[in-house]
Amino acid sequence: MTNVEINTQHVKVLNNGLEIDAYLAQPASTGTYGAVIVIQEIFGVNSHIRDVAERIAKQGYVAIAPAMFQRAKPGFDVGYSQQDMQLGFQYMQQTKAPEIMSDIQATIAYLKTLPNVKAEAIGAIGFCFGGHVAYLAATLPDIKAAASFYGGGIATSGLGADTPTINRTSEIKGTIYAFFGTQDSFIPQEQNQQIEAELKKHHINHRVFRYDADHGFFCDQRTSYNSEAAADAWQHVLELFQNTLK
């Protein structure tokens, strides 16, 4: 199924007392669909992330992009300048893994209230900071598939937790695909090799893809965009969701 007609809207996801802004894209026709949580880069739920949500919805999924910086900076939505990057890093450093996981869990709960969502078919995709969060989200029982694009710090940081996220690899429940650029100065090659070794060690259902590309290669708004790598990676994402969420 490709390029189905979609509807988009801004919604609120409730997490106890916190209202999380989220962008929802879904097929216009009635039916039940698998759902995908789209997890932002450090630049907020910006036009690139909204575009990814729409592309996924056009493939016949309900896609939702929750604001991961809701606590630190509600409504954060910037581009890719140096200044934007500095701001994004600042807000990223204020995030904490337990809060992030709680927000993802609240987003899952929200999806399950939608009449057109198959509750047993929920996945996640994330980029950069969101790639790290997607790896973390893959440890949740509800996440059947996760696509982690150039997730920074998986091997070295726990996003405020005591132990790096890589140490939670054994908890991954479903299938995970990880995408890296071999020219990515943010993620040394030995780190993505370490991640792959850990996935193998714990017999996690996974695939790792490496491209001769830089950090952010999937984003057509960044100077590091690599159309060939992005197109190939997109086909693998579609294959992942087709196999796990349909």
Side-chain angles (χ1 to χ4, degrees):
M1 191 189 306
T2 52
N3 286 337
V4 302
E5 199 179 320
I6 64 166
N7 293 326
T8 64
Q9 64 189 120
H10 293 274
V11 297
K12 303 276 188 193
V13 169
L14 292 179
N15 185 5
N16 296 316
L18 180 70
E19 276 193 344
I20 303 164
D21 295 319
Y23 184 70
L24 182 69
Q26 55 192 333
S29 55
T30 55
T32 53
Y33 307 96
V36 178
I37 300 169
V38 182
I39 307 166
Q40 65 178 64
E41 302 168 297
I42 60 170
F43 308 100
V45 181
N46 64 5
S47 58
H48 169 56
I49 295 301
R50 296 193 299 273
D51 177 61
V52 172
E54 289 166 16
R55 286 175 67 184
I56 290 170
K58 285 173 184 172
Q59 294 292 327
Y61 302 94
V62 173
I64 188 166
M68 294 280 97
F69 293 169
Q70 190 72 40
R71 290 171 178 79
K73 187 68 176 174
F76 189 61
D77 168 356
V78 294
Y80 295 91
S81 71
Q82 201 56 43
Q83 190 182 4
D84 293 334
M85 192 172 280
Q86 284 168 350
L87 275 175
F89 270 123
Q90 184 185 318
Y91 298 129
M92 181 190 80
Q93 283 161 358
Q94 294 175 42
T95 62
K96 295 179 178 67
E99 291 177 347
I100 289 167
M101 291 293 266
S102 168
D103 293 349
I104 298 284
Q105 199 66 72
T107 306
I108 292 168
Y110 173 86
L111 286 169
K112 287 182 177 183
T113 68
L114 301 180
N116 60 345
V117 167
K118 291 181 191 169
E120 74 289 352
I122 298 174
I125 184 172
F127 305 87
C128 173
F129 159 74
H132 188 150
V133 175
Y135 198 94
L136 203 51
T139 65
L140 295 171
D142 283 303
I143 300 295
K144 300 294 183 271
S148 169
F149 276 78
Y150 30 86
I154 291 168
T156 56
S157 157
L159 295 176
D162 295 339
T163 178
T165 296
I166 193 171
N167 293 345
R168 299 191 60 183
T169 300
S170 64
E171 300 171 47
I172 292 175
K173 307 290 190 293
T175 303
I176 187 162
Y177 280 14
F179 302 85
F180 297 103
T182 57
Q183 309 301 316
D184 188 340
S185 59
F186 290 103
I187 309 168
Q189 286 305 292
E190 57 268 23
Q191 286 185 21
N192 69 55
Q193 286 158 6
Q194 205 182 335
I195 291 163
E196 186 172 22
E198 204 66 13
L199 289 164
K200 283 178 177 166
K201 179 177 137 187
H202 295 290
H203 308 290
I204 306 301
N205 197 5
H206 74 281
R207 291 185 73 184
V208 175
F209 302 91
R210 294 180 179 86
Y211 299 95
D212 181 17
D214 200 349
H215 191 77
F217 69 79
F218 191 79
C219 176
D220 58 7
Q221 296 181 27
R222 299 178 79 157
T223 53
S224 54
Y225 176 61
N226 182 312
S227 57
E228 205 174 305
D232 187 76
W234 180 242
Q235 289 310 310
H236 290 303
V237 167
L238 296 184
E239 161 200 301
L240 169 67
F241 293 153
Q242 179 72 38
N243 291 341
T244 53
L245 304 181
K246 286 292 188 185

